[in-house]
Amino acid sequence: MAPQEDIPVAANVLGTIGTVLWSIQLIPQAWTNWRRKDTEGLPAAMMFLWAISGVPFGIYAIVQNFNIPIQVQPHVFMFLCLLNWGQTLLYSYRWALWKVAIVTTGTAVGFAGVETALILTLRPVYKAGNETPVIVVGVVAAVLLAAGLLPPYGEAWKRRGRIIGINFVFLTIDSLGAFFSLLSLVTQHTFDILGGVMYIVCITLEIGIFISHLIWLFRTRQVRKEAKQDRRTFDDVMVEYEQQGLPFKFAERRSTWPWKRSKSDEETGGSDNGKTPIPRPTSPGSGRQQSHE
């Protein structure tokens, strides 16, 4: 595919909307992380893989001369991902702030250097008619973007569909940003298949995360209703089951992925009669911090 020469106004407008959304998407997540001083449920691998994907994504957009907003987009995305990744190192892994600052800044500089070198190397090759290297870069970007959305599914499996730690405002803005960016590509004179695939993969996997949590809300509706009547949270109930040694069908699994499930996961999977009675409170407010429900 030849580089884009004439960019339609509609493509620029839609691309700008997508860029603005992707420029603010991770701000609510960063704010949530900072306010809670906790990133449980937000996988560090997700943020880091997304940050890495910004490198090939940026190369792919610049070499093919996409509209300016689409070229800016992956770099803003990369910065915000590194910010959130740094927060996971600070809050979940308990790194010192100075160490987090050095590592994230050094990583950003490294990414910038790799991207610049590859752009200078691939641009003349692409203009000479050899599209293969750029296609490979696009495929790598799509794979990394998709891979970054897999860790949340592991967290969902661990919590039987429940999503915690991930801000749903961020997820909504991210999906909308991908949607408008996809429309931007559609309105260009030539639709870029790989670029479109990257956005479609992002939208599809994020919808799956929403659905996972909605299913969990539906399945636990009775437990949460009864707990609320006792002025407790779902987490309070879960802790009480654990303290009393009772089986709980919605207890967290010890493993993050299905192929690593342990015997204890099966033992805590539910009660003998398939029902989930609510134990009486042992200590009010003993649950952990409540998430988005």
Side-chain angles (χ1 to χ4, degrees), residues 13 17 22 26 57 134 137 139 142 163 199 216 223 231 258 280-281:
V13 171
I17 294 174
W22 270 24
L26 279 164
F57 197 178
V134 174
V137 168
V139 170
I163 304 298
Y199 294 125
W216 179 85
V223 176
R231 296 185 178 181
R280 301 311 303 167

Side-chain angles (χ1 to χ4, degrees), residues 22 50 138-139 141-150 153 174-175 178-179 182 193-209:
W22 270 24
W50 271 12
V139 170
V143 169
L144 288 171
L145 189 66
L149 281 167
L150 293 180
Y153 281 88
D174 188 55
S175 298
F179 176 71
L182 177 62
I193 296 177
L194 281 176
V197 166
M198 285 189 283
Y199 294 125
I200 291 172
V201 166
C202 179
I203 294 170
T204 302
L205 290 177
E206 288 180 340
I207 289 175
I209 294 174

Side-chain angles (χ1 to χ4, degrees), residues 113-183:
V114 170
E115 181 177 340
T116 301
L118 287 175
I119 288 173
L120 295 176
T121 301
L122 296 179
R123 180 176 276 163
V125 174
Y126 185 71
K127 287 184 177 180
N130 186 354
E131 300 180 2
T132 301
V134 174
I135 291 176
V136 171
V137 168
V139 170
V140 170
V143 169
L144 288 171
L145 189 66
L149 281 167
L150 293 180
Y153 281 88
E155 295 291 330
W157 162 264
K158 177 181 178 180
R159 298 177 177 86
R160 303 182 187 272
R162 185 187 189 188
I163 304 298
I164 71 168
I166 295 180
N167 185 295
F168 286 112
V169 174
F170 137 62
L171 211 59
T172 300
I173 295 174
D174 188 55
S175 298
L176 289 174
F179 176 71
F180 279 103
S181 298
L182 177 62
L183 291 181

Side-chain angles (χ1 to χ4, degrees), residues 26 51 74-84 108:
L26 279 164
H75 302 95
V76 176
F77 178 66
M78 185 194 308
F79 169 77
L80 291 174
C81 287
L82 286 174
L83 174 62
N84 279 268

